[in-house]
């Protein structure tokens, strides 16, 4: 496990280095002054410009400029927003927890719905239940997320009035910000209406989370179905049948655990897709997350925010991918010996 950890750490550092190189190169590709694109500072005096150029090694070669940029990132200095001159690090720390909270909630929904349905489809292979679940998966995967979001608002918010159409929590509840995660902050608050606020926050989260979870759930259905079909064809399952175990005993004791190992292997890849869907959904549901902030930055051509937002989101997705790999390695010891590119 130590060698596996060192390999993953090496991969993590190398990938993070590539991400910073990509982010740094964007400052040259965007229109305008490269130093302004890096720092986001506008309307500064000549003396401030000189000090800034020295701070970022602007007069040195490209390697020293990159080293200075890397140093600022390691210190948590991502520059200022070109739109309103706010500190981007503070903005990201304020918005990222909302995106993580929504993405994790959607991920749990996709897992709870997708994996059991995939197992049922495999167990009922070539039977009506299998065809119905596959048809549901195909339809769910084909629906564009923005259309599904608008349809959900029209149906459940406007016509039925069951759920809110946007926002994170009603303005009636004043929750003090402690961690940035609304659910945690509500539980930590001293508000006498804590449980009402919790219900209100859940009500705001259900629709966007279901919209985000639709596509990953359909992918999990197909992954789980394929994994279970492969497991049911293995020799140890045939041996279990020969020993006289009932079908339910074979499924519960042997098939589900081994099929889950195969599904976990692909969960990290699907999380990147889920975060991408969350960015679009945040705009539709006016969710105060980093995805909506990043898309607004693209519209406003806030180059410093675009660079920093892409760097932080990419790092977050890659971190989740590493955690998934660890989980897979913990469940399957054979994976610890896999080399890069071997799977």
């Amino acid at each position: 496990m130590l060698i596996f950890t060192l390999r993953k750490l090496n991969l993590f550092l190398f990938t993070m280095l590539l991400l910073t190189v990509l982010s740094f190169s964007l400052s040259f590709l965007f229109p305008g002054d490269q130093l302004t694109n890096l720092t986001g500072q506008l309307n500064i005096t000549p003396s401030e410009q000189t000090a800034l150029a020295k701070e970022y090694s602007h007069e040195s070669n490209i390697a020293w400029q990159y080293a200075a940029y890397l140093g600022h990132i390691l210190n948590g200095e991502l520059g200022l927003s070109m739109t309103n001159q706010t500190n981007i690090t503070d903005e990201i720390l304020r918005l990222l927890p909302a995106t993580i909270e929504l993405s994790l909630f959607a991920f749990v929904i996709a897992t709870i719905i997708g994996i059991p349905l995939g197992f049922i489809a495999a167990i009922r292979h070539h039977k009506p239940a299998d065809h119905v679940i596959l048809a549901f998966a195909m339809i769910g995967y084909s629906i564009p997320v923005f259309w599904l979001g608008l349809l959900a608002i029209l149906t459940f918010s406007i016509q039925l009035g069951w759920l809110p159409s946007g926002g994170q929590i009603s303005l009636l509840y004043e929750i003090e910000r402690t961690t940035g995660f609304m659910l945690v902050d509500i539980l930590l608050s001293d508000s006498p209406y804590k449980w009402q606020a919790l219900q209100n926050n859940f009500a705001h989260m259900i629709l966007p989370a279901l919209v985000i979870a639709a596509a990953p759930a359909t992918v999990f259905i197909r992954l789980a179905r394929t994994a279970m079909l492969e497991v049911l064809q293995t020799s140890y399952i045939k041996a279990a049948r020969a020993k006289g175990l009932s079908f339910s005993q074979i499924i519960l004791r042997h098939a589900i655990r081994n099929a889950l190992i195969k599904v976990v292997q692909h969960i990290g890849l699907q999380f990147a897709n889920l975060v991408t869907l969350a960015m679009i959904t945040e705009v539709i549901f006016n969710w105060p997350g980093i995805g909506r902030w990043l898309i607004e930055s693209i519209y406003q051509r806030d180059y410093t925010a675009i660079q920093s937002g892409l760097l932080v989101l990419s790092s977050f997705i890659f971190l989740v991918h590493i955690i998934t790999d660890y989980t897979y390695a913990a469940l399957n010891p054979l994976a610890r010996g896999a080399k890069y590119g071997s799977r």
Side-chain angles (χ1 to χ4, degrees), residues 129-202:
D130 182 25
H131 299 311
V132 170
I133 292 172
L134 281 182
F136 167 75
M138 184 63 71
I139 293 170
Y141 190 75
S142 305
I143 296 176
V145 66
F146 64 90
W147 186 81
L148 186 62
L150 294 175
L151 188 65
I153 291 175
L154 181 66
T155 305
F156 297 103
S157 298
I158 297 176
Q159 292 191 347
L160 298 175
W162 290 352
L163 296 166
S165 61
Q168 194 175 19
I169 191 169
S170 172
L171 296 175
L172 293 172
Y173 303 101
E174 294 184 0
I175 303 299
E176 185 181 356
R177 181 184 176 85
T178 307
T179 64
F181 295 91
M182 183 57 74
L183 287 174
V184 180
D185 288 348
I186 292 173
L187 292 174
L188 294 177
S189 72
D190 298 326
S191 171
Y193 304 103
K194 182 185 299 186
W195 297 111
Q196 290 89 338
L198 203 61
Q199 291 174 6
N200 188 271
N201 181 233
F202 267 120

Side-chain angles (χ1 to χ4, degrees), residues 271-320:
F271 196 83
N273 182 36
L274 189 141
V275 171
T276 307
L277 296 173
M279 291 173 63
I280 301 170
T281 309
E282 284 180 5
V283 176
I284 298 171
F285 287 90
N286 196 29
W287 187 264
I290 193 172
R292 191 186 67 161
W293 173 78
L294 186 56
I295 290 177
E296 287 175 354
S297 301
I298 293 171
Y299 277 121
Q300 296 166 350
R301 299 185 181 181
D302 190 339
Y303 301 125
T304 316
I306 295 170
Q307 282 176 284
S308 306
L310 290 176
L311 180 64
V312 171
L313 270 182
S314 305
S315 306
F316 171 63
I317 291 171
F318 186 69
L319 194 62
V320 171

